[in-house]
């Protein structure tokens, strides 16, 4: 009874402390306010106080230490914050740096105080001490699920297991605990998503009854088609009904789920998932060589590429090793399934900048990382360009504006610069964009490139979404790498691209709408295929964007593997609806700088193409797209599975056309 009294007293004190915290959280005073750290099921965010009328609104400058950040305060939450002059949202990195990897998780009570001062707002963690991670211990790790299963079954020769030790934060040093990389996205969903590249800490559970593992994530062995077994990480659930059957379910709604067979064996249960980002400092952190090891929780870390402490490190220290600002060339170390890499770049002062976690792209055979800043790119980059990569569809949107301006009567083809100067549009440039000059007595002919105009359109999207002015500074902030000096940009052309947009946007309001949502094409029985498309307005018509095929099957990174079947179904459904092809172009990354005419698919019959024979037209489209952008004398048959934009003239709306092509049942 005495123990019960103590427990009740502790619970009472705990609840009173919660009530006091809530009162503090809800108040906004002249001194500032406090925000609670929550989660959006993926990253930590800030919950704003309920006294909303006294809070700042929109983009606000806030001091974080000695740096100025831009915090975006919305109706109830702040989920975006970044250092001034940068574009990437770094609020999750900041919260995890202050509070550790559990920032925002249920059951935590982390808070951030915004303090008012003559210099503006200052942000700092309420708790003076950063939450300590669990001690890093050496855990047995296996390269794949088969080897991990052998850890328990002893059915695989020891020489085949290839275990090694990886340093991970855990309190459990039992011999029954082991680690394996998550490979694929089937469990990337729900309240605790497991993402490709995460570490899964498992505990052996081979003899545990299924009833004790209900709704737990488990490593299971199931019978494969034909002979042998396969190993999967799934959530064990009871199937609907009372037949006592079990279901092996994916947390990702798009992942496979299937009934558990009688010969299913549960090998281990998941204890926790550890993301590689939680094991590293925030991207952009600069570390002297002596601080490398403690920053990654290791006893020793040498500044050389390779596997250290069970983790793969890539040190960028050779010119050209950064093949793009967010791409790193493959190192000599053989990558394992699902493996990520910690990527660091040597600086001129012999310190090292952490560039972020590298994730492997099979279709490019490179590591993808958060974008490097201007100085790092110029030191180790393979090129001199400082512009970011345009998203898919941006050049096509810019081309619609060009076409609209060029089609105007000659006397109306004038654009006005913000400085008051005027230019006339002479026509389309040979490589895309506009040819302009200053008219009689004005400046000579110059080109406003399609790329310049595309960045202006994206900046207009950004201004429409977040408020503020559409000006040269906004366009260049969006376009160029962090830290890029003005002299390294094409700023002189940005003003004329803005002028072209101002003149053309009213003519092409529909054509420059933001891209539509991607959809999976469904087969005749309603099963989603691995083939995605989207419908976008394009001038006075609609366009269908079929995404390209890429990646390597069997690695978990292949995409649009049903490209051929998807294209056939799209053509069949266009034919059934009586919709001809008004035009068709290749819209891949390697053709981004080509004009619309150079990207057009040259088919046997002229446009508009009536779809009478789907099989013949599909073959013609494959052959035509393989020829687009190829150099004379190039070897091979060319790529027949690229991103395509198909134009159709139809009175249907975008949503109606998308549902028709998707194969969705008609709405009531």
């Amino acid at each position: 009874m005495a123990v019960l009294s103590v427990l009740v007293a502790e619970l009472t004190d705990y609840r009173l402390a919660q009530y006091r915290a809530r009162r503090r959280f809800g108040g906004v005073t002249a001194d500032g306010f406090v925000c609670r750290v929550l989660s959006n099921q993926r990253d930590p965010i800030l919950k704003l106080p309920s006294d909303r009328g006294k809070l700042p609104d929109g983009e606000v400058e806030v001091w974080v230490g000695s740096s100025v950040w831009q915090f975006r305060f919305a109706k109830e939450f702040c989920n975006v914050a970044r250092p001034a002059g940068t574009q990437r949202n770094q609020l999750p990195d900041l919260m995890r740096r202050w509070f550790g990897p559990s920032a925002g998780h249920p059951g935590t009570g982390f808070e951030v105080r915004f303090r008012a001062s003559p210099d503006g707002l200052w942000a700092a963690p309420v708790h003076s001490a950063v939450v300590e991670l669990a001690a890093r211990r050496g855990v047995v790790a296996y390269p794949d699920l088969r080897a991990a299963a052998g850890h328990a079954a002893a059915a695989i020769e020891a020489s085949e297991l290839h275990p090694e030790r990886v340093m991970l934060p855990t309190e459990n040093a039992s011999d029954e605990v082991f680690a394996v990389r998550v490979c694929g996205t089937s469990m990337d969903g729900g309240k605790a998503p497991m993402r490709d590249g995460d570490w899964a800490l498992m505990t052996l559970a081979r003899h545990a009854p299924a009833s004790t593992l209900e709704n737990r994530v488990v490593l299971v062995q199931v019978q494969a088609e034909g002979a042998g077994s396969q190993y999967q990480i799934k959530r064990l659930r009871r199937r609907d009904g009372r037949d006592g059957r079990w279901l092996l379910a994916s947390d990702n709604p798009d992942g496979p789920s299937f009934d558990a067979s009688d010969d299913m064996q549960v090998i281990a249960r998941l204890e926790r998932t550890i993301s590689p980002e939680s094991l590293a400092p925030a991207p952009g952190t600069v570390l002297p060589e002596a601080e490398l090891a403690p920053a990654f929780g290791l006893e020793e870390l040498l500044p050389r590429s390779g596997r250290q402490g069970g983790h793969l490190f890539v040190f960028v220290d050779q010119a050209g090793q950064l093949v793009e600002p967010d791409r790193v060339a493959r190192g000599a170390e053989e990558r394992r399934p699902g493996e990520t890499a910690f990527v660091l770049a040597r600086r001129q002062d012999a310190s090292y900048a952490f560039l972020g976690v590298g994730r492997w792209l099979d279709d490019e055979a490179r590591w993808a990382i958060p974008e490097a800043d201007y100085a790092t790119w110029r030191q180790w980059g393979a090129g001199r360009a400082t512009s970011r990569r345009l998203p898919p569809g941006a050049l096509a949107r810019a081309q619609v504006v060009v076409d609209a301006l060029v089609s105007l009567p000659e006397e109306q083809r004038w654009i006005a610069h913000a400085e008051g100067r005027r230019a006339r549009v002479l026509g389309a440039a040979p490589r895309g964009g506009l040819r302009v000059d200053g008219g009689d007595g004005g400046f000579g002919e110059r080109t406003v490139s399609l790329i310049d105009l595309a960045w202006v359109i994206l900046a207009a999207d950004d201004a429409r979404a977040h408020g503020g002015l559409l000006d040269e500074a906004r366009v260049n902030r969006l376009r160029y790498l962090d830290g890029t000096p003005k002299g390294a940009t094409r700023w002189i052309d940005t003003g004329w691209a803005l002028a072209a947009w101002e003149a053309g946007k009213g003519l092409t309001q529909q054509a420059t709408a933001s891209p539509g949502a991607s959809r999976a094409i469904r087969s005749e029985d309603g099963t989603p295929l691995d083939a995605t498309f989207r419908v976008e307005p394009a001038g006075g018509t609609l366009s269908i964007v079929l995404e390209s095929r890429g990646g390597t099957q069997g690695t978990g990174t292949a995409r649009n593997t049903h490209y051929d079947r998807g294209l056939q179904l799209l053509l069949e459904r266009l034919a059934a609806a009586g919709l001809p092809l008004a035009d068709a172009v290749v819209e891949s990354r390697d053709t981004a700088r080509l004009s619309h005419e150079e990207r057009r698919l040259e088919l046997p019959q002229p446009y508009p193409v009536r779809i009478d024979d789907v099989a013949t037209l599909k073959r013609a489209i494959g052959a035509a797209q393989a020829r687009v952008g190829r150099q004379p004398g190039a070897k091979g048959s060319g790529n027949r599975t690229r991103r395509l934009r198909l134009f159709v003239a139809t009175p249907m709306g975008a949503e109606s056309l998308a549902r028709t092509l998707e194969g969705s049942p008609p709405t009531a």
Side-chain angles (χ1 to χ4, degrees), residues 458-481:
L458 293 175
D461 291 346
D462 185 68
R464 185 165 52 249
H466 305 127
L469 295 175
L470 173 60
D471 55 13
E472 291 187 35
R474 188 176 206 126
V475 175
N476 291 335
R477 264 200 320 271
L478 193 68
R479 177 174 181 176
Y480 294 105
L481 301 178

Side-chain angles (χ1 to χ4, degrees), residues 65-108:
S66 59
S67 302
V68 176
W69 284 50
Q70 294 286 134
F71 278 70
R72 185 179 301 161
F73 293 96
K75 185 176 180 180
E76 297 182 27
F77 301 96
C78 172
N79 54 19
V80 175
R82 58 187 183 274
T86 68
Q87 293 298 317
R88 188 177 67 83
N89 178 22
Q90 297 184 37
L91 179 64
D93 299 333
L94 180 64
M95 295 300 101
R96 292 183 179 116
R97 188 163 74 241
W98 280 351
F99 304 115
S102 62
H105 287 192
T108 60

Side-chain angles (χ1 to χ4, degrees), residues 640-663:
R640 296 172 179 245
T641 57
R642 301 155 94 177
R643 182 188 292 114
L644 299 179
R645 185 179 292 271
L646 311 176
F647 296 82
V648 293
T650 173
M652 301 170 66
E655 176 62 22
S656 178
L657 177 61
R659 290 185 64 82
T660 297
L661 298 176
E662 179 186 22

Side-chain angles (χ1 to χ4, degrees), residues 190-206:
K191 295 182 179 180
M194 302 175 67
R195 299 186 178 89
D196 186 59
D198 285 353
W199 284 105
L201 273 183
M202 296 280 185
T203 299
L204 297 180
R206 177 168 287 276

Side-chain angles (χ1 to χ4, degrees), residues 402-638:
V402 169
D403 294 343
L405 289 172
V406 171
S407 66
L408 289 172
E410 186 174 344
E411 64 274 10
Q412 297 181 25
R413 295 206 304 257
W414 285 88
I415 58 178
H417 198 283
E419 297 176 351
R421 292 178 293 159
R422 299 177 71 219
R424 64 180 178 184
V425 175
L426 303 176
R431 301 289 291 180
L434 292 167
R435 294 182 298 111
V436 301
D437 70 11
D440 296 337
F443 61 84
E445 183 177 324
R446 63 183 305 121
T447 297
V448 178
S449 76
L450 208 60
I451 294 174
D452 294 333
L453 187 52
W455 281 112
V456 168
I457 294 174
L458 293 175
D461 291 346
D462 185 68
R464 185 165 52 249
H466 305 127
L469 295 175
L470 173 60
D471 55 13
E472 291 187 35
R474 188 176 206 126
V475 175
N476 291 335
R477 264 200 320 271
L478 193 68
R479 177 174 181 176
Y480 294 105
L481 301 178
D482 294 342
T484 301
K486 192 172 183 179
T489 71
R490 288 175 52 88
W491 62 271
I492 194 170
D493 294 324
T494 305
W496 287 116
L498 282 163
W501 166 246
E502 286 298 321
K505 66 180 181 181
L507 306 173
T508 58
Q509 193 61 40
Q510 280 190 315
T512 54
S514 296
S518 294
R519 300 170 182 256
I521 301 169
R522 297 176 179 272
S523 62
E524 293 85 344
D525 62 2
T527 304
L529 301 178
D530 184 21
T532 57
F533 77 101
R534 63 182 187 271
V535 172
E536 296 177 4
T541 185
L542 293 175
S543 66
I544 306 152
V545 179
L546 175 63
E547 294 297 342
S548 63
R549 177 174 174 169
T552 304
Q553 298 187 57
T555 65
T557 59
R559 67 173 188 273
N560 294 314
T561 56
H562 300 145
Y563 178 97
D564 288 337
R565 179 64 177 147
L567 176 57
Q568 178 177 329
L569 287 172
L570 287 181
L571 295 177
E572 288 177 356
R573 288 163 186 168
L574 287 173
L579 300 176
L581 285 184
D583 200 357
V585 297
V586 172
E587 200 166 280
S588 61
R589 183 177 173 188
D590 57 338
T591 63
R593 294 179 179 272
L594 301 181
S595 68
H596 187 92
E597 290 74 17
E598 292 172 306
R599 292 184 289 115
R600 176 174 287 127
L601 301 184
E602 296 298 335
L603 302 176
Q605 59 270 58
Y607 293 102
V609 176
R610 181 185 175 93
I611 307 176
D612 294 321
D613 186 336
V614 170
T616 299
L617 178 58
K618 179 173 169 292
R619 286 195 297 270
I621 288 175
Q625 65 167 303
R627 294 192 295 267
V628 172
R630 282 175 62 80
Q631 297 297 321
K635 298 180 179 180
S637 58

Side-chain angles (χ1 to χ4, degrees), residues 213-234:
L213 300 172
E214 184 174 357
N215 291 323
R216 294 287 299 267
V217 175
V218 295
L219 170 61
V220 295
Q221 175 182 341
V222 295
Q223 186 66 35
E225 293 184 9
S229 300
Q230 60 178 351
Y231 307 91
Q232 301 200 24
I233 296 177
K234 295 294 176 189

